[in-house]
Amino acid sequence: MNTANMKIHIRGKQNLSGTVRISGAKNAALPELAATILGSSGVELHGAPLVEDVRVMIEALRNIGACTRVDGNRIGIKIPEIKSDLVPREIVQTSRASILMLGPLLARHGHARISRPGGCAIGERKIDFHLEGLCQMGAQIVEDKDHISGRVDTRLRAIHFRFPGKSVTGTENLLMAAVLADGTTVLENCALEPEVGDLIDLLARMGADIQGKGTGTLVVKGKTSLSGAEHWVIPDRIEMGTYVIAGGFAGNEIVVENARPEFIGHLLDILKRVGVKIETSGDSIRVSSGGRLYPVDVETEPFPGFATDLQAQLTTLLTQAEGVSRITETIFDNRFKHTVELQKMGADIIIDRNTAVIRGKTALTGREIAATDLRASAALVLGGLIADGETVVDNAYQLLRGYENMPQKLEQLGAEVRLVGGSHG
Ligand code: EPU
């Protein structure tokens, strides 16, 4: 399906009620697909979300020689032999996750050429920690305007490396390189996101020896080869958080299933302060509007803090809180583009350096607006659901990159949301 020029049409003033089931985590499936490069016997991923970023990664793996089978949410990948070390631009230009193939390709194949993805809508996305770690492991890295190329003459060697700052894909990339390196690698100040833990579980099933899961220090004893494995992807905490936020608008009552409340503990605390009613039980979260919503001051942080990937969606909710809220973005330097679109709908938001100052409560009106990035698209869909009249969100591809069947899931909750345009071919 050609997803260019697709738009999302949303009928406004729709109350949501019912149950929604959370899909597997995109940001766990992406490194796990890259990890399939590390062995030749094949990996079976269950519960992987069939979103556009995942399709792009599968295509990139096919290009280096992977045999792939997609059966519902089950993805089988086997790479008996690496036939090409190139990750071409036309495949990876829409997703930055291709950098996750660098560590595994160097570890198994000794060379890699990753095309540079285009510019990123949410700010500078540095990869210097990835490259510094791989260089210390013995790789020669050359960067030009089109590619990041790496080569290692013998085997990667173990290192003792402290990340200068927290990086999710940086941790994942060095971890995947270390599992096939010569000796014992110690990685310090690692990211604590659940997706890193889920990757560790897959690598352990493939035979890797990694100690320290859930802590900032990971100790990896390198092996000469890894085996095949079967793995169940964890639920997507950002999708989970998005539907929980949706449940907080006036008149809504949603039960979020296949949830892991501990993945979004910080968000649940914030929403309780805002006045949203939340009950958790096992793997489900019941959320309903508490009537009046109150303003809050929050800032984004690495896990277990409030996730930057939920900042845009919370902004939409806070346009409905009575008073002045402030959201400070500390992870990315340009992640407020959704606020410009929300303002077109009637929101009162001022950006003061890295803080969005949101004055509520404001009525929103349906407009034609544009999604600038994945999480912005979800924030605008939430805005459309409470707006007066119809909202049309251009650049629907952004939503399709990371939310599995969101229009269908919202329809099951009683909304009217349609994807329009695109062509088959
Ligand atoms: N950073 C550096 N040097 C590095 C790596 C990162 O300075 O070598 C900086 C970045 O510039 C940024 C911060 O560190 O300011 C955090 O970046 P990080 O590397 O953690 O981000 P990422 O790994 O590129 C992943 C998710 C993002 C999510 C961030 C933060 C995947 C595939 N992507 O990106 O997800 O926002 O962590 O949690 O896991 C999304 O799903 O919408 C999304 C953007």
Side-chain angles (χ1 to χ4, degrees):
M1 167 127 80
N2 179 359
T3 49
N5 306 322
M6 282 183 100
K7 297 172 193 269
I8 312 159
H9 288 238
I10 306 147
R11 195 162 129 211
K13 296 241 178 263
Q14 302 279 289
N15 283 346
L16 303 181
S17 71
T19 297
V20 62
R21 190 171 172 82
I22 299 307
S23 299
K26 165 185 81 84
N27 288 347
L30 291 172
E32 287 164 3
L33 287 167
T36 63
I37 295 171
L38 294 164
S40 56
S41 328
V43 170
E44 197 78 21
L45 284 183
H46 296 265
L50 288 189
V51 293
E52 289 303 315
D53 278 12
V54 165
R55 289 185 211 277
V56 165
M57 184 60 100
I58 294 172
E59 210 38 53
L61 290 169
R62 282 196 186 125
N63 199 68
I64 62 161
C67 311
T68 64
R69 186 178 29 76
V70 179
D71 177 12
N73 292 102
R74 192 164 144 178
I75 304 175
I77 308 263
K78 191 168 176 171
I79 315 181
E81 186 196 341
I82 310 270
K83 294 194 172 133
S84 161
D85 68 346
L86 177 67
V87 180
R89 181 173 169 100
E90 55 276 18
I91 296 179
V92 297
Q93 61 192 348
T94 55
S95 165
R96 309 188 69 79
S98 52
I99 193 65
L100 285 165
M101 295 170 74
L102 183 60
L105 272 173
L106 287 173
R108 173 162 165 204
H109 189 56
H111 42 105
R113 276 179 301 153
I114 313 286
S115 298
R116 282 188 184 281
C120 187
I122 60 176
E124 199 181 357
R125 304 281 295 270
K126 292 197 199 144
I127 51 163
D128 50 326
F129 309 156
H130 307 227
L131 302 187
E132 177 58 30
L134 291 169
C135 284
Q136 288 187 21
M137 292 176 119
Q140 295 132 39
I141 308 271
V142 177
E143 291 186 81
D144 62 31
K145 70 176 198 344
D146 297 323
H147 297 99
I148 298 155
S149 306
R151 168 168 294 279
V152 56
D153 291 333
T154 50
R155 195 175 156 197
L156 290 173
R157 55 175 182 265
I159 49 168
H160 193 133
F161 184 80
R162 185 176 173 80
F163 284 94
K166 296 267 190 217
S167 168
V168 178
T169 51
T171 301
E172 293 163 349
N173 224 344
L174 294 196
L175 192 55
M176 290 189 281
V179 294
L180 288 184
D182 188 11
T184 300
T185 293
V186 180
L187 300 174
E188 290 182 51
N189 198 25
C190 292
L192 303 176
E193 271 66 5
E195 295 76 24
V196 175
D198 202 46
L199 172 66
I200 293 174
D201 287 345
L202 167 64
L203 293 170
R205 290 195 171 107
M206 293 170 76
D209 182 344
I210 303 168
Q211 303 299 319
K213 181 184 154 190
T215 75
T217 302
L218 298 173
V219 179
V220 188
K221 277 194 194 139
K223 299 276 172 98
T224 48
S225 65
L226 294 188
S227 60
E230 203 172 348
H231 180 75
W232 281 258
V233 180
I234 52 168
D236 193 308
R237 67 194 162 93
I238 307 303
E239 189 196 18
M240 203 180 294
T242 302
Y243 285 106
V244 169
I245 291 171
F249 289 96
N252 293 353
E253 180 160 5
I254 298 178
V255 177
V256 180
E257 285 187 342
N258 194 29
R260 296 277 291 271
E262 71 276 20
F263 287 177
I264 52 167
H266 210 285
L267 173 72
L268 297 181
D269 288 345
I270 292 170
L271 291 178
K272 285 176 191 161
R273 275 159 49 209
V274 171
V276 175
K277 284 192 203 148
I278 293 185
E279 290 163 46
T280 59
S281 145
D283 72 352
S284 82
I285 304 173
R286 175 180 291 273
V287 51
S288 57
S289 116
R292 182 175 175 165
L293 298 181
Y294 299 88
V296 280
D297 285 0
V298 294
E299 64 176 47
T300 61
E301 289 170 309
F303 190 84
F306 172 53
T308 173
D309 293 342
L310 288 168
Q311 180 256 102
Q313 303 87 316
L314 183 67
T315 302
T316 306
L317 182 69
L318 291 177
T319 66
Q320 303 308 301
E322 291 180 29
V324 179
S325 297
R326 287 180 190 77
I327 302 190
T328 300
E329 172 59 56
T330 70
I331 310 290
F332 293 112
D333 54 17
N334 189 15
R335 209 173 196 182
F336 284 132
K337 289 191 176 157
H338 52 280
T339 62
V340 176
E341 304 304 299
L342 288 171
Q343 283 174 60
K344 291 178 190 162
M345 300 176 80
D348 180 351
I349 306 173
I350 294 167
I351 304 301
D352 177 10
R353 280 166 299 179
N354 65 338
T355 299
V357 182
I358 307 147
R359 266 169 225 280
K361 164 182 185 179
T362 48
L364 300 187
T365 308
R367 290 268 181 273
E368 180 148 1
I369 46 178
T372 47
D373 67 83
L374 162 56
R375 306 306 169 186
S377 69
L380 299 182
V381 169
L382 295 184
L385 289 168
I386 57 162
D388 201 5
E390 191 187 46
T391 294
V392 177
V393 182
D394 293 344
N395 199 10
Y397 181 77
Q398 290 295 339
L399 190 79
L400 305 178
R401 282 183 49 209
Y403 285 91
E404 193 176 48
N405 300 331
M406 192 172 192
Q408 295 87 331
K409 288 184 182 185
L410 286 172
E411 294 241 329
Q412 277 165 20
L413 293 171
E416 239 182 86
V417 178
R418 282 176 304 123
L419 273 177
V420 176
S423 55
H424 292 270

